[in-house]
Amino acid sequence: MHIKALKGFKDILPQEAALWQHIEGRARDIFQRFGYREIKVPILEKTGLFARSIGETTDIVEKEMYSFADRNGESLTMRPEGTASVLRSFIEHNLHSERPLQKLYTMGPMFRHERPQKGRLRQFHQMSVEALGVDRPELDAEIMAMAWMLLVDLGLKVSLEINSLGCQECRPLFNKALLKFLADSKGELCPDCERRQEKNPLRVLDCKNAKCQAHYVNAPVILDYLCSDCAAHFQVVEDCLRDLNIDYKVNSFMVRGLDYYTRTTFELITHDLGAQSAVGAGGRYDGLIAQLGGPALPGIGFALGMERLVLLLTADGGEAPGDIIDIFLAALGPAAGRRAFAMLHALRLQGLRAVMDYTSRSLKSQMKQAARCGSRFTLIMGDDELSSGRAMLRDMASHEQREIELSADLRAWSKAVAEIIS
RNA sequence: GUGGGCGUAGCUCAGUAGGUUAGAGCGUCGGGUUGUGGCCCCGGAGGCCGUGGGUUCGAAACCCACCGCUCACCCCA
């Protein structure tokens, strides 16, 4: 009893797991509508993969990775995000030669050694989606539309914020301008921003300090520095979003945490998650595949945080899961119990969800169990029924009971029962 | 890594001028109905009062330390 789960690691108990299955099911359905296929990749990779993709100087790589030496001394890491692994697989198996555009999604746990808080865990789960091989802006809009469709389908209200970070050509120009602005602002910035301007200057822009924010209204805006190609790309993204009637807001201060993003970035924002406002986020990463040793192909992707989705869906009255059992066999006495045991198996072979109680409890307590497990029907059989060859089938919702014939031919009998209660 | 809040039954929580056997609701098990669930009534089980130390005749309560949970900063899905 003293052994507890690790800090930041959480059990997902059956009731909540039902909600997870619902979310995953809706996601699979919608992702498939857009032509995405599932890919399953390992949770463990060589440390270098993440260091190279996410960025050597990001917090994730510098101090949040679960890394350890394998038995041969090689450094391995529990993946802190999904994209790197999917790209590694894409490159390793030459998936670009299978088709010009690979639309892939994966779901599973990620690991970051952070201090847990609301909506933030050390093991958390993401649905990670990637579209690899095409750099057209229509694809950017489509992938945002897909994320949007899923969230709407789940009944969530979130807002979409977009930005462009430019490319290798134009981002350096903006960086230079921003650094100059920050240098001129000496003494005006909070300690956090002083630190950030050295490590990741872009990040100062979404500082929460009100004084900093007031100061940054005069900061250079990245959208003003985009090269013509990037500006045109962003323009089409906006046009496409409008074509699809998707509400969005341009937020030129939006910064993504991973170094590999280029051009379009976006976040799906909510205000019902405490400090963690992003349920999902993503963007384009046109240089990353080449950077990881693959062909020079563009890509775009996003991730949704499962725990954050679950939080949002349980906040406003989570749905109780529906019936989970079709029929409960309530047997009285050892003879009926043995008979029911075989009947139970036959019912399951028919595809029914069927359970019984093995502890010889009273009918009353068995009825209680039947009700509690959400059983739609209960079959009651004791000595009377065994000798008469008929048992009582009770509809738990309507309270109606009817007699049904028992039979030694369990196959035929169970088939008949399946028809009656379906 | 930094700061705030909180640790009493499976769950949600009462219980402090320090006082004897630590409570409620919900849940669970059983009974009321010798073979019928949800409502009602009755009863049972279930607590190192987070851990260790200190103060005291006496600590769930007061003091200290530690551990855990939680929220926030940072960062991010």
Side-chain angles (χ1 to χ4, degrees):
Chain A
M1 291 304 262
H2 279 299
I3 300 179
K4 296 168 60 176
L6 295 171
K7 181 199 287 286
F9 288 67
K10 209 177 75 120
D11 298 312
I12 299 154
L13 301 179
Q15 193 177 346
E16 191 183 323
L19 179 56
W20 281 62
Q21 287 178 5
H22 170 71
I23 295 171
E24 290 170 357
R26 298 310 304 143
R28 289 177 198 281
D29 176 38
I30 287 171
F31 294 168
Q32 280 165 25
R33 288 187 220 172
F34 284 75
Y36 285 79
R37 299 180 297 162
E38 182 166 15
I39 182 171
K40 290 175 175 289
V41 293
I43 287 171
L44 206 56
E45 298 274 1
K46 294 184 183 177
T47 299
L49 173 65
F50 301 114
R52 278 208 284 164
S53 60
I54 297 169
E56 298 276 2
T57 63
T58 56
D59 276 15
I60 293 176
V61 171
E62 275 189 346
K63 51 193 183 193
E64 294 177 358
M65 294 206 300
Y66 277 92
S67 299
F68 60 91
D70 196 4
R71 289 174 177 276
N72 62 9
E74 180 169 42
S75 179
L76 305 182
T77 294
M78 312 270 284
R79 64 178 183 198
E81 60 113 32
T83 299
S85 304
V86 172
L87 293 197
R88 193 226 80 234
S89 178
F90 173 84
I91 295 166
E92 182 170 338
H93 301 288
N94 284 310
L95 294 185
H96 68 282
S97 61
E98 187 194 64
R99 50 182 78 182
L101 172 60
Q102 280 287 2
K103 291 177 157 181
L104 304 168
Y105 72 88
T106 194
M107 301 177 174
M110 311 292 164
F111 304 85
R112 293 181 199 170
H113 192 105
E114 302 181 273
R115 270 302 265 283
Q117 67 187 70
K118 191 178 179 69
R120 196 176 80 182
L121 294 166
R122 289 182 172 178
Q123 177 180 330
F124 59 103
H125 299 75
Q126 288 185 338
M127 298 191 284
S128 185
V129 180
E130 325 291 340
L132 308 173
V134 168
D135 67 356
R136 305 268 66 226
E138 290 85 353
L139 193 58
D140 302 28
E142 184 195 79
I143 209 169
M144 288 186 250
M146 183 171 79
W148 185 261
M149 188 180 288
L150 173 58
L151 295 173
V152 169
D153 183 272
L154 291 171
L156 294 175
K157 265 191 80 173
V158 299
S159 51
L160 172 65
E161 297 192 356
I162 68 173
N163 191 22
S164 176
L165 296 181
C167 61
Q168 317 295 32
E169 300 292 318
C170 50
R171 181 148 27 148
L173 299 177
F174 168 74
N175 265 332
K176 212 167 157 187
L178 180 62
L179 282 173
K180 180 171 186 306
F181 171 82
L182 292 174
D184 293 345
S185 307
K186 204 124 184 87
E188 305 271 347
L189 307 179
C190 72
D192 279 336
C193 281
E194 294 285 355
R195 180 174 52 78
R196 280 188 277 241
Q197 69 169 302
E198 292 169 15
K199 208 174 132 186
N200 188 349
L202 277 177
R203 187 150 292 293
V204 300
L205 295 178
D206 66 357
C207 178
K208 283 168 189 158
N209 184 307
K211 201 174 152 213
C212 287
Q213 276 306 315
H215 187 70
Y216 296 144
V217 296
N218 297 316
V221 173
I222 184 149
L223 295 176
D224 296 337
Y225 286 79
L226 295 183
C227 63
S228 58
D229 284 351
C230 285
H233 184 98
F234 193 60
Q235 184 60 53
V236 178
V237 171
E238 286 199 64
D239 292 343
C240 287
L241 287 174
R242 273 195 293 270
D243 286 348
L244 301 181
N245 286 318
I246 291 174
D247 288 323
Y248 69 93
K249 199 179 101 194
V250 175
N251 175 2
S252 61
F253 281 10
M254 189 179 80
V255 174
R256 305 275 44 259
L258 304 110
D259 280 356
Y260 53 61
Y261 287 113
T262 56
R263 291 194 166 170
T264 314
T265 59
F266 61 98
E267 283 187 3
L268 294 147
I269 306 283
T270 172
H271 300 292
D272 305 324
L273 279 179
Q276 264 53 243
S277 56
V279 249
R284 184 160 277 290
Y285 40 80
D286 288 343
L288 183 56
I289 296 171
Q291 189 182 319
L292 291 175
L297 291 171
I300 181 169
F302 71 92
L304 291 170
M306 282 296 295
E307 281 81 1
R308 293 181 184 180
L309 289 175
V310 168
L311 275 175
L312 288 172
L313 287 172
T314 46
D316 39 64
E319 282 294 300
D323 296 341
I324 57 168
I325 291 296
D326 295 311
I327 184 166
F328 186 100
L329 299 197
L332 298 163
R338 289 303 290 274
R339 186 84 184 272
F341 184 69
M343 289 160 62
L344 188 67
H345 195 67
L347 291 167
R348 290 167 176 163
L349 283 170
Q350 292 299 326
L352 293 178
R353 298 168 295 188
V355 296
M356 67 177 288
D357 170 74
Y358 294 123
T359 57
S360 320
R361 293 204 275 185
S362 69
L363 178 59
K364 177 174 175 170
S365 77
Q366 292 192 56
M367 293 297 292
K368 269 190 182 175
Q369 282 186 75
R372 189 170 47 225
C373 70
S375 183
R376 293 162 52 224
F377 290 88
T378 300
L379 186 72
I380 300 163
M381 47 187 295
D383 294 341
D384 295 351
E385 284 80 1
L386 283 188
S387 54
S388 69
R390 308 172 73 80
M392 299 300 301
L393 181 68
R394 179 178 178 85
D395 182 321
M396 297 299 277
S398 70
H399 301 203
E400 285 167 14
Q401 289 189 186
R402 56 186 288 185
E403 285 196 330
I404 63 170
E405 297 280 350
L406 297 178
S407 164
D409 183 351
L410 288 181
R411 201 176 131 86
W413 176 82
S414 58
K415 200 169 176 182
V417 171
E419 276 168 23
I420 291 171
I421 73 177
S422 63

